[in-house]
DNA sequence: TCTGGCACTCTGTGTTCCCGAGTGCCAAGT
DNA sequence: ACTTGGCACTCGGGAACACAGAGTGCCAGA
């Protein structure tokens, strides 16, 4: 009973603070929310909440502000993800449906999410780890050069130019192409190294150096692209917000692929929404910000993650709703293509 | 004589203001630069310069600050582009040399430029307008789907998935592929529509619907990509600077492809450095910022542009030097690949 | 045409003062 | 055992004010 009310007070504090951006006092709370008790009682509850570390006061004679721990409790137990409105859902759907290729899907998604949440959106390209080879193509560019193109089932295309050790005619290229496709078609990218390991030995002796060159490029491109690409949008939305730390640090972090990677990657559970609040984030420079992350993917496999980053003082229910919805729609689009 | 000194005063004002970020007064000017005259004389010159609109004073009793017109004169007649140091040149070279494909070149370039100038760097992808077709590839994905891949001589790859009107076997695809390559190889992208116009009529009747479908996708992809991709980096560098207008507006402009396009595109001369200062820029929201743009390209053809954007109060000689140098190195890299 | 001198004008900063919101605590009421 | 009204206390932030310092414009003399 008493405990319940105390939680209600915490919820009210979070909600008010998020919407007004001002420390909230006992009197205002008693007025705006009908908690059925007097300001004095609320003050007592607040003292306890502060004792327990859920709220804090900026100055002695100011109202209370939620701490990271307070937000955490709010997100875990006091709030419900808020679904999007019908209009918003339709807008998402039609906006994403127009995408022509994987690049386009990612670009549209990140912009959409930024606009929807009015925060910084972050989207990771579908990882190659769970993709399979759809086709390998060798395109002669000149006598001693060819372009190597790898197409995956997620629509991603990797290409490399290969300098050849010798002059090679079209017939030999065709043969190699056929052999490569035969051994790799449908094969998961992680298995590729195994599959091609013995390939040179299955070829005529004179083709082996050629095959070796191409394979080394192939393997290299797999390794290299393993560190995934991440894009963001909506940096302008940070301009107004008051991050406790400087805006500069946040922008710098956003441009560091590595930081972004870990930001999205270090979430434990892929199928649910992950929220990391303020100091829960290991990176200084991102103190004062929170992130909401969801996994997405085609079919039942989670391929990558997307999310938004904003000030700790954000509207979690709404943001979580938007992230979850966008993740679902993107998954849908990818599954269909 | 007098005129010369007045210009020297303007130059000194610009240099001091750029380095100190504070309105510069007659006394400080007389001390820091040996102009050989007294502060009083300088005051007279400053009065004239203000009359002519080259400088202004923020408040009645403050020093002077260059106006956009003043910067313009400085850039046009009072400054010399400052070449990079040897160390910087070597750093550029080695950093760019490691790029593996066109995407990589652009990404590295934009980061490099941002770091070098400590401002926001903007790089446009090589335009397709002057590229030629190196190869067209058709990759069957399933019975009624194939992937269409277009490779250009600049290393750019466009791909599209095509839904076919009928089930098509490999032989017919091969034939179509050969025909396409025969007519398009080496052809400039702008000529493609002409070249393929009569192509269906040269094919057997039963192949015509198939060819038409594929061609429509091809043409569409050409038109669509005509609005070029532009990337930027170094937004964090804006955080400290004081744009006269809000940081938010600038960030918003940077995320608008269209604005960026026109920003880079509306330069008259491709072979030289273009500088647009403050209000010379047509976009509100970018008042208070200047841009320095250079063209780059492989061989003698200018393919695209790159540049940096920063506060009007920037070090023009250094910035211009960096932009010019990077543009040259990128051109070199592209020509070699 | 340049220079030193001088009166004038501001901005920015520091000080002081005071209002009001908000708290913590206590004693009384349920 | 909670809850409530009352009350004294604290502190941040805005308004009013004074003041020093930098810079200017102008003028008379070299």
């Amino acid at each position: 009973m008493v405990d319940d009310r105390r939680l209600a007070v915490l919820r009210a504090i979070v909600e008010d603070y998020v919407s007004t951006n001002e420390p909230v006092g006992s009197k205002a709370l008693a007025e705006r929310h009908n908690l059925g008790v007097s300001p004095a009682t609320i003050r007592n509850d607040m003292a306890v909440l502060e004792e327990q570390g859920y709220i804090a006061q900026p100055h002695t004679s100011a109202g209370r502000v939620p701490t990271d721990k307070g937000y955490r409790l709010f997100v875990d137990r006091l709030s419900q993800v808020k679904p999007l409105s019908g209009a918003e859902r339709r807008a998402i759907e039609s906006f994403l449906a127009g995408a022509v290729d994987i690049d386009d899907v990612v670009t549209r998604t990140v912009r959409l999410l930024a606009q929807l949440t009015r925060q910084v959106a972050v989207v990771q390209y579908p990882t190659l780890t769970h993709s399979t080879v759809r086709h390998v193509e060798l395109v002669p560019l000149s006598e001693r050069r060819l372009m190597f193109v790898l197409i995956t089932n997620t629509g991603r295309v990797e290409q490399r130019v290969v300098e050849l050790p010798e002059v090679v005619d079209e017939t030999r290229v065709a043969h190699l192409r056929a052999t490569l496709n035969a051994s790799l078609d449908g094969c998961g990218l992680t298995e590729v190294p195994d599959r091609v390991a013995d390939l040179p030995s299955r070829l005529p002796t004179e083709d082996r150096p050629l095959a070796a060159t191409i394979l080394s490029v192939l393997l290299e491109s797999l390794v290299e692209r393993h560190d995934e690409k991440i894009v963001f949008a909506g940096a302008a939305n940070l301009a107004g917000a008051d991050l406790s730390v400087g805006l500069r640090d946040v922008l710098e972090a956003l441009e560091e692929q590595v930081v972004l990677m870990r930001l999205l990657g270090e979430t434990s559970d892929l199928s649910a929404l992950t929220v990391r609040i303020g100091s829960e984030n290991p990176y200084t420079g991102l103190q004062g910000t929170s992130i909401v992350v969801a996994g997405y993917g085609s079919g039942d496999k989670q391929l990558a993650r997307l999310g938004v980053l904003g000030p700790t003082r954000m509207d979690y229910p709404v943001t979580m709703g938007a992230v979850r919805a966008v993740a679902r729609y993107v998954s849908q689009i990818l599954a269909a293509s």
Side-chain angles (χ1 to χ4, degrees), chain A residues 16 21 34 45 241 276 317 323:
Chain A
D16 272 24
N21 194 17
N34 40 1
D45 289 339
R276 197 166 315 137
V323 171

Side-chain angles (χ1 to χ4, degrees), chain A residues 122-125 228-232 257 260-262 264:
Chain A
V122 181
V123 177
Q124 180 181 24
Y125 269 71
E228 294 300 332
K229 236 174 107 180
I230 300 185
V231 297
F232 69 90
Q257 293 286 318
L260 281 186
M261 265 306 294
R262 304 195 61 195
L264 292 185

Side-chain angles (χ1 to χ4, degrees), chain A residues 10 52-54 66-74 277 279-280:
Chain A
L10 176 56
Q52 297 172 328
Y54 293 114
T67 60
D68 290 351
K69 189 176 169 192
Y71 283 120
R72 166 55 59 199
L73 185 60
F74 175 79
I277 297 167
S279 54
E280 295 171 14

Side-chain angles (χ1 to χ4, degrees), chain A residues 101-278:
Chain A
D101 62 12
I102 187 76
D103 260 330
D104 205 16
V105 170
V106 171
T107 310
R108 283 171 186 244
T109 303
V110 74
R111 295 210 183 142
L112 176 69
L113 198 52
Q115 206 175 341
L116 215 53
T117 60
R118 303 216 149 272
Q119 316 212 306
V120 180
V122 181
V123 177
Q124 180 181 24
Y125 269 71
T127 184
L128 295 181
T129 315
H130 296 114
S131 331
T132 57
V133 176
R134 190 125 77 175
H135 189 82
V136 177
E137 187 57 45
L138 300 176
V139 182
L141 298 180
S142 68
E143 273 193 331
R144 310 226 1 197
R145 270 170 139 183
L146 56 77
M147 176 170 280
F148 162 85
V149 183
L150 176 75
I151 302 171
T152 74
N153 68 335
T154 47
R156 199 148 155 195
V157 177
E158 293 293 320
Q159 79 258 7
R160 283 303 154 85
V161 174
V162 188
E163 304 282 342
L164 302 180
E166 54 190 314
V167 174
V168 179
D169 65 21
E170 173 63 31
T171 343
R172 287 173 65 196
V173 171
H175 181 235
L176 195 56
R177 180 192 296 132
T179 316
L180 270 177
N181 274 301
S183 23
L184 293 182
D185 193 38
C187 149
L189 288 197
T190 46
E191 310 160 38
V192 166
D194 291 340
R195 295 276 191 107
V196 299
D198 65 334
L199 200 139
S201 61
R202 298 206 311 266
L203 291 171
T205 322
E206 71 271 22
D207 278 346
R208 289 185 189 168
L210 172 61
T213 308
I214 294 177
L215 287 181
S216 77
V217 171
L218 160 58
L219 294 177
E220 184 188 298
S221 82
L222 285 181
V223 173
E224 207 162 272
R225 292 297 175 166
H226 203 64
D227 71 314
E228 294 300 332
K229 236 174 107 180
I230 300 185
V231 297
F232 69 90
N237 294 325
L238 283 177
D242 51 338
L243 302 323
S244 64
V245 72
L247 173 58
R248 175 179 198 107
D249 297 297
V250 178
L251 285 175
E252 266 169 10
L254 282 173
E255 292 197 344
E256 280 295 329
Q257 293 286 318
V258 190
V259 174
L260 281 186
M261 265 306 294
R262 304 195 61 195
L263 209 55
L264 292 185
E266 278 178 358
T267 57
S268 48
D269 186 359
L270 260 182
S271 58
L273 282 168
T274 306
V275 180
R276 197 166 315 137
I277 297 167

